[in-house]
């Protein structure tokens, strides 16, 4: 059994930034489970399936193959053998991922893949249900959050740096809606595991959050 660190939290809390730094410091493999949901979302969008058509989504899950590979230490997502990593951060893909992740067939498809990755290697895995469902026996569990305004501001600054034309209020509303969807779905909702440690990064620097997590790890 590998050493397992689980990081859950809402969109924009900084999970992936922090998890990557902890992984580098400790030599763990970083597993981004959101990217797997995004990978399936690319497939549903390509097939023209609506996010609320649970039946068609379940059927599409049967024939699709999502695999993860590590190239130069970076996680790559393959869809039926094609590397689609560059498409994962598209806005439409994120929205589709958030909506289709409420469908049981989608979660079932990815659960085994995620658990297998953590079985034989030391991992730090981030998502929404890692501490509660995917790795209930993880060695360290963190629930990383930040205020809605902080998360919206970070996203806004990130998009601005990339030269995007964006509106703070729209981004904030999108985050509120995503939080609502992720935490109210019936299956594996976003919530803090009872034995997870809560870290609110609103007033913390990246280095402070990383140091707090490193102090909890073996
Ligand atoms: O972390 P992210 O923004 O890349 O995740 C995209 C969506 O995938 C998120 O809105 C909800 C879903 N997701 C999930 O339901 N469970 C996970 N473990 C990870 C992501």
């Amino acid at each position: 059994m590998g050493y397992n660190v689980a990081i859950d939290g809402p969109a924009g809390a900084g999970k992936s930034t922090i998890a990557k730094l902890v992984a580098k410091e400790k030599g763990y493999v970083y597993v981004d489970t959101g990217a797997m949901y995004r990978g399936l979302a690319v497939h549903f969008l390509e097939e023209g399936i609506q996010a609320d058509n649970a039946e068609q989504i379940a059927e599409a899950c049967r024939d699709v193959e999502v695999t993860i590979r590590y190239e130069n230490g970076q996680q790559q997502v393959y869809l039926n053998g094609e590397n689609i990593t560059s498409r994962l951060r598209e806005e439409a893909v994120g929205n589709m991922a958030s909506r289709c992740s409420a469908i049981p067939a989608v979660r079932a498809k990815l659960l085994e893949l995620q658990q297998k990755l953590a079985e034989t290697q030391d991992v730090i895995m981030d998502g929404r249900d890692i501490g509660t469902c995917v790795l209930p026996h993880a060695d360290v569990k963190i629930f990383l959050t930040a205020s809605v305004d902080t998360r919206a501001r970070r996203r806004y600054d990130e998009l601005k740096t990339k030269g995007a034309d964006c509106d703070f209020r729209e981004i904030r509303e999108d985050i509120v809606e995503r939080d609502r969807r992720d935490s109210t779905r019936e299956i594996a909702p976003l919530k803090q595991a009872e034995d997870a440690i809560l870290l609110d990064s609103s007033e913390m620097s990246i280095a402070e959050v990383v140091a707090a997590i490193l102090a909890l790890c073996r």
Side-chain angles (χ1 to χ4, degrees):
M1 191 76 192
Y3 189 75
N4 295 169
V5 180
I7 304 193
D8 291 301
K15 300 184 296 294
S16 66
T17 305
I18 302 293
K20 274 182 203 158
L21 290 166
V22 173
K24 200 166 172 205
E25 186 71 30
K26 289 285 188 182
Y28 304 152
V29 173
Y30 166 52
V31 181
D32 173 0
T33 62
M36 300 176 189
Y37 286 93
R38 286 169 184 264
L40 279 181
V42 168
H43 180 61
F44 304 143
L45 287 169
E46 273 178 353
E47 296 290 306
I49 302 173
Q50 300 298 313
D52 54 5
N53 192 336
E55 223 169 274
Q56 263 192 34
I57 285 191
E59 203 177 304
C61 278
R62 248 174 264 139
D63 302 327
V64 69
E65 194 190 52
V66 178
T67 45
I68 299 299
R69 286 185 214 157
Y70 287 87
E71 292 166 14
N72 302 319
Q74 306 284 329
Q75 176 179 298
Q76 304 289 316
V77 178
Y78 283 77
L79 192 63
N80 293 332
E82 185 195 347
N83 188 336
I84 47 119
T85 312
S86 65
R87 295 198 49 196
L88 299 181
R89 305 312 302 177
E90 290 168 15
E91 216 55 33
V93 171
N95 277 322
M96 176 58 119
S98 170
R99 298 180 69 190
C100 73
S101 62
I103 296 169
V106 171
R107 304 207 73 81
K109 176 103 192 162
L110 298 178
L111 181 67
E112 197 189 346
L113 174 63
Q114 293 162 0
Q115 289 177 331
K116 276 224 171 85
L117 285 168
E119 226 168 67
T120 51
Q121 52 189 0
D122 297 344
V123 298
I124 180 162
M125 187 179 286
D126 80 355
R128 304 294 189 286
D129 61 336
I130 312 305
T132 51
C133 298
V134 181
L135 305 175
H137 305 297
D139 299 278
V140 176
K141 294 185 189 177
I142 312 286
F143 193 82
L144 183 64
T145 188
S147 70
V148 170
D149 281 324
T150 304
R151 292 186 282 128
R153 173 63 53 194
R154 286 177 187 159
R155 180 84 186 124
Y156 177 83
D157 290 346
E158 185 190 333
L159 288 170
K160 277 277 168 203
T161 324
K162 286 182 187 159
D165 181 24
C166 51
D167 178 67
F168 179 78
R169 261 198 314 191
E170 257 176 44
I171 290 173
R172 193 183 185 285
E173 275 165 25
D174 187 55
I175 283 185
V176 169
E177 175 56 15
R178 204 171 288 197
D179 285 358
R180 188 198 60 73
R181 245 189 265 129
D182 290 350
S183 47
T184 58
R185 66 174 176 234
E186 262 175 49
I187 146 169
L190 165 68
K191 73 167 189 226
Q192 185 178 345
E194 274 177 20
D195 51 350
I197 292 176
L198 176 68
L199 280 179
D200 184 329
S201 72
S202 306
E203 305 292 329
M204 293 170 86
S205 67
I206 291 174
E208 283 169 335
V209 179
V210 170
I213 296 178
L214 287 176
L216 296 166
C217 297
R218 176 175 76 183

